[in-house]
Amino acid sequence: MSHDPSETPEPVPATVNRRDLLRLTLRGTTGLALAGLVDVPAMRAATQQLKLSNISEFTTSCNFCSCGCGMVAAVRDGKLISLEGDYDHVVNRGSLCAKGMSMFPTHASPERLTTPRYRAAGSDRWVDITWDDALDRVAKKIKALRDDTWIATERVGDADVATNRSDAWAFMGGAQNTNEECYLFQKAARLLGTVIVEHQARL
Ligand code: SF4
């Protein structure tokens, strides 16, 4: 937008709506730039520097589906301040679908649950519990189910063959799990005695 400084200044309307305010501000700023009062490149550089100051960037991947689109997370003072598509990522080249784009708003939403919740049998409400409490409950349930359904041996021909497994429960991984996490999941699943290990993308 250009503005001739010799033009008569536009009168300010009696009531200024948002569109008027934006138009007047842009005209005013352009006029100042033309009059040499504002160094626009310096102002842009300073704004950019301010935007990027004290920021650490990390690459990560979207965890909503199995495509594994790459993202760049910007963190300031330990707080995630933006999440964008990674232009250098071979899968998505910077683009994200609507689900991926909603990841940051989801993260920042005050509605987001940040603690485990528990609804007791017969209750009509959920209550917050600690992570330790949640882990204890899950571990106890796995142990009880494993003990109840343990298959120590199976008859094969005339022999009892050791199997040492339970078929009553399973492990399920997700698209967001890294190779290293998948390796650990597999280890945990086998050590606990289940052979049923699935991935969310295959369901
Ligand atoms: S951005 Fe969309 S397509 Fe990519 S991993 Fe996330 S949900 Fe899947």
Side-chain angles (χ1 to χ4, degrees):
M1 183 183 293
S2 63
H3 175 65
D4 181 351
S6 64
E7 272 181 16
T8 311
E10 186 172 345
V12 178
T15 53
V16 180
N17 61 28
R18 282 200 321 169
R19 192 178 292 269
D20 289 335
L21 185 63
L22 183 63
R23 187 160 48 83
L24 291 167
T25 306
L26 284 173
R27 285 195 160 205
T29 309
T30 311
L32 284 174
L34 287 175
L37 297 176
V38 174
D39 182 345
V40 175
M43 190 174 77
R44 285 205 180 118
T47 307
Q48 189 72 4
Q49 201 178 8
L50 196 64
K51 218 172 142 192
L52 298 177
S53 64
N54 301 322
I55 283 182
S56 304
E57 286 193 331
F58 304 91
T59 53
T60 183
S61 54
C62 174
N63 63 3
F64 279 143
C65 89
S66 56
C67 289
C69 294
M71 298 176 123
V72 178
V75 176
R76 180 185 281 145
D77 297 331
K79 197 166 173 237
L80 184 66
I81 60 168
S82 93
L83 208 47
E84 297 174 344
D86 183 353
Y87 286 90
D88 294 327
H89 199 279
V90 68
V91 170
N92 56 318
R93 294 290 184 207
S95 63
L96 295 173
C97 78
K99 285 185 293 174
M101 286 169 68
S102 70
M103 189 172 286
F104 182 73
T106 306
H107 165 86
S109 169
E111 301 290 317
R112 181 178 171 224
L113 294 180
T114 54
T115 56
R117 306 192 97 193
Y118 173 70
R119 192 181 71 176
S123 170
D124 64 350
R125 67 200 61 220
W126 293 89
V127 292
D128 288 351
I129 58 174
T130 65
W131 286 102
D132 282 345
D133 193 1
L135 281 172
D136 280 351
R137 285 172 187 275
V138 172
K140 279 179 189 155
K141 281 186 182 290
I142 289 177
K143 172 80 169 68
L145 187 61
R146 184 177 181 269
D147 289 349
D148 288 348
T149 59
W150 191 247
I151 305 168
T153 59
E154 267 182 352
R155 194 82 183 157
V156 178
D158 294 335
D160 284 330
V161 178
T163 51
N164 290 327
R165 70 170 201 275
S166 165
D167 293 337
W169 48 283
F171 260 59
M172 189 172 80
Q176 72 273 35
N177 302 135
T178 61
N179 284 344
E180 292 76 11
E181 286 168 341
C182 290
Y183 176 81
L184 293 173
F185 284 167
Q186 287 282 5
K187 281 264 187 192
R190 305 304 183 212
L191 283 169
L192 286 168
T194 182
V195 292
I196 308 168
V197 179
E198 251 308 350
H199 184 276
Q200 147 253 342
R202 280 162 39 101
L203 298 180

